[in-house]
Tab-separated table of all heavy atoms in Angstrom:
chain	number	residue	atom	x	y	z
H	39	ILE	N	130.079	97.051	104.565
H	39	ILE	CA	130.954	96.254	103.712
H	39	ILE	C	130.119	95.157	103.062
H	39	ILE	O	129.358	94.459	103.735
H	39	ILE	CB	132.100	95.628	104.540
H	39	ILE	CG1	132.903	96.713	105.261
H	39	ILE	CG2	132.991	94.754	103.669
H	39	ILE	CD1	133.570	97.716	104.357
H	43	GLU	N	133.153	92.194	98.949
H	43	GLU	CA	134.347	92.865	99.490
H	43	GLU	C	134.956	92.049	100.613
H	43	GLU	O	136.177	91.893	100.702
H	43	GLU	CB	133.987	94.260	100.008
H	43	GLU	CG	133.652	95.265	98.933
H	43	GLU	CD	133.121	96.559	99.525
H	43	GLU	OE1	132.231	96.513	100.404
H	43	GLU	OE2	133.603	97.624	99.099
H	44	HIS	N	134.093	91.550	101.476
H	44	HIS	CA	134.564	90.753	102.612
H	44	HIS	C	135.240	89.473	102.142
H	44	HIS	O	136.291	89.089	102.659
H	44	HIS	CB	133.389	90.428	103.541
H	44	HIS	CG	133.784	89.687	104.770
H	44	HIS	ND1	134.598	90.229	105.746
H	44	HIS	CD2	133.486	88.432	105.183
H	44	HIS	CE1	134.773	89.343	106.710
H	44	HIS	NE2	134.114	88.245	106.390
H	64	LYS	N	143.940	87.702	113.589
H	64	LYS	CA	143.641	86.842	114.731
H	64	LYS	C	142.237	87.117	115.248
H	64	LYS	O	141.748	88.247	115.212
H	64	LYS	CB	144.630	87.094	115.875
H	64	LYS	CG	146.086	86.830	115.528
H	64	LYS	CD	146.379	85.352	115.441
H	64	LYS	CE	147.860	85.095	115.173
H	64	LYS	NZ	148.174	83.668	115.176
H	86	ARG	N	161.107	95.685	110.466
H	86	ARG	CA	160.564	95.175	111.731
H	86	ARG	C	159.489	96.100	112.298
H	86	ARG	O	159.525	96.495	113.450
H	86	ARG	CB	161.690	94.921	112.737
H	86	ARG	CG	162.644	93.834	112.272
H	86	ARG	CD	163.836	93.653	113.178
H	86	ARG	NE	163.434	93.508	114.568
H	86	ARG	CZ	164.155	93.975	115.594
H	86	ARG	NH1	165.278	94.619	115.377
H	86	ARG	NH2	163.742	93.818	116.826
H	104	GLY	N	138.803	94.358	125.858
H	104	GLY	CA	139.681	95.147	124.997
H	104	GLY	C	141.073	95.292	125.582
H	104	GLY	O	142.071	95.300	124.853
H	114	MET	N	152.310	89.303	121.431
H	114	MET	CA	152.526	88.453	120.263
H	114	MET	C	153.390	89.165	119.224
H	114	MET	O	154.366	88.614	118.733
H	114	MET	CB	151.177	88.073	119.635
H	114	MET	CG	151.313	87.233	118.372
H	114	MET	SD	149.790	87.152	117.401
H	114	MET	CE	149.731	88.804	116.717
H	120	HIS	N	158.950	89.443	116.759
H	120	HIS	CA	160.198	90.194	116.966
H	120	HIS	C	160.213	91.539	116.242
H	120	HIS	O	161.259	91.962	115.732
H	120	HIS	CB	161.406	89.354	116.552
H	120	HIS	CG	161.421	87.999	117.190
H	120	HIS	ND1	161.655	87.815	118.530
H	120	HIS	CD2	161.182	86.770	116.672
H	120	HIS	CE1	161.586	86.522	118.819
H	120	HIS	NE2	161.292	85.869	117.709
H	136	LEU	N	141.973	107.137	121.222
H	136	LEU	CA	143.197	107.887	121.548
H	136	LEU	C	143.657	107.585	122.972
H	136	LEU	O	144.837	107.324	123.214
H	136	LEU	CB	142.962	109.391	121.381
H	136	LEU	CG	142.891	109.891	119.947
H	136	LEU	CD1	142.401	111.340	119.913
H	136	LEU	CD2	144.243	109.770	119.263
H	140	GLN	N	147.102	105.733	124.188
H	140	GLN	CA	147.995	106.420	125.132
H	140	GLN	C	148.252	105.578	126.369
H	140	GLN	O	149.380	105.509	126.854
H	140	GLN	CB	147.412	107.776	125.503
H	140	GLN	CG	147.461	108.774	124.360
H	140	GLN	CD	146.557	109.979	124.567
H	140	GLN	OE1	145.722	110.018	125.474
H	140	GLN	NE2	146.711	110.973	123.706
H	141	ARG	N	147.210	104.918	126.871
H	141	ARG	CA	147.385	104.060	128.050
H	141	ARG	C	148.311	102.890	127.750
H	141	ARG	O	149.017	102.411	128.638
H	141	ARG	CB	146.033	103.545	128.531
H	141	ARG	CG	145.142	104.592	129.134
H	141	ARG	CD	145.583	104.987	130.522
H	141	ARG	NE	145.293	103.942	131.477
H	141	ARG	CZ	145.850	103.857	132.669
H	141	ARG	NH1	146.729	104.744	133.056
H	141	ARG	NH2	145.547	102.881	133.489
H	189	THR	N	141.320	96.480	136.786
H	189	THR	CA	141.034	97.303	135.611
H	189	THR	C	142.211	98.234	135.372
H	189	THR	O	143.082	98.376	136.221
H	189	THR	CB	139.745	98.125	135.807
H	189	THR	OG1	139.523	98.878	134.628
H	189	THR	CG2	139.838	99.044	136.995
H	194	ILE	N	140.218	104.133	129.972
H	194	ILE	CA	140.538	103.278	128.836
H	194	ILE	C	139.285	102.695	128.197
H	194	ILE	O	138.310	102.407	128.891
H	194	ILE	CB	141.507	102.160	129.260
H	194	ILE	CG1	142.017	101.397	128.053
H	194	ILE	CG2	140.877	101.212	130.236
H	194	ILE	CD1	143.226	100.593	128.323
Side-chain angles (χ1 to χ4, degrees):
I39 303 299
E43 290 172 312
H44 183 65
K64 300 286 183 176
R86 296 174 51 214
M114 178 195 73
H120 308 290
L136 286 170
Q140 290 164 349
R141 291 285 287 162
T189 181
I194 189 163

